[in-house]
Amino acid sequence: METALEIIRELTKDEGVMWVVGRGDVVSENDSKGIKEPEVENGYMTIEADNWHFHIGVDAITGVQFVEAESHEDLISYYVRFSNEKEETLVRGYFPNPHMDSEHKRTEFQPEKYRVFEEMRDRFIDNDAIVFVKRPRNPNG
């Protein structure tokens, strides 16, 4: 899914993106400080920043969703979810939250942060079966 790689490359240009690797019982949250341009070699893409990196099999990515999700009371998160053929989450790239300031404290809505998500979403949805999903908050946590 070449479009998925294009989206990942674009996400790595923003040091404000939070990368969440894995799902379920084990996840790793990583900021983008010092993030480098991804490299593809032998069927794997390497995403690397100052103090972390991960490899993702290019062929493992079969689905991409732009997601607007309710979380933590009234907070909304905006991210891109990359999944495999079983619809399992592989990695998510969270956009800087328009409801949070640079110190991760709630603040008035910052429309310029939302526009970054919105513009990328609008360029990519329906391309290569990429979709937009609104998720309600999970009442179980």
Side-chain angles (χ1 to χ4, degrees):
M1 179 175 258
E2 192 59 37
T3 307
L5 302 182
E6 184 180 344
I7 293 169
I8 291 172
R9 283 186 181 97
E10 192 164 326
L11 288 170
T12 61
K13 293 177 182 175
D14 185 345
E15 282 202 355
V17 171
M18 173 70 68
W19 293 88
V20 178
V21 181
R23 64 178 188 84
D25 293 334
V26 179
V27 296
S28 176
E29 295 181 354
N30 307 286
D31 66 29
S32 291
K33 185 175 182 229
I35 198 153
K36 299 166 180 59
E37 174 134 1
E39 296 179 8
V40 177
E41 187 176 329
N42 297 325
Y44 285 87
M45 178 178 261
T46 300
I47 292 85
E48 180 178 5
D50 279 352
N51 62 352
W52 60 266
H53 75 275
F54 67 88
H55 309 281
I56 187 165
V58 171
D59 293 337
I61 303 170
T62 59
V64 180
Q65 298 175 331
F66 280 81
V67 181
E68 184 175 305
E70 294 178 20
S71 61
H72 310 297
E73 299 170 17
D74 62 343
L75 192 63
I76 298 174
S77 297
Y78 305 90
Y79 59 92
V80 183
R81 176 182 175 262
F82 301 89
S83 58
N84 63 18
E85 64 185 20
K86 296 178 186 176
E87 282 301 310
E88 297 168 327
T89 299
L90 300 169
V91 66
R92 288 168 283 168
Y94 282 80
F95 289 81
N97 196 302
H99 304 278
M100 307 289 276
D101 65 17
S102 61
E103 302 296 318
H104 303 288
K105 303 227 187 293
R106 289 179 188 247
T107 189
E108 290 183 29
F109 183 74
Q110 302 164 80
E112 65 281 358
K113 285 184 177 180
Y114 178 70
R115 271 194 293 279
V116 173
F117 169 79
E118 187 177 47
E119 288 171 4
M120 184 184 267
R121 176 198 68 199
D122 291 349
R123 273 188 291 125
F124 286 105
I125 58 170
D126 296 329
N127 181 357
D128 232 1
I130 295 169
V131 297
F132 173 55
V133 177
K134 284 190 173 191
R135 291 204 169 117
R137 190 169 79 81
N138 181 347
N140 298 322

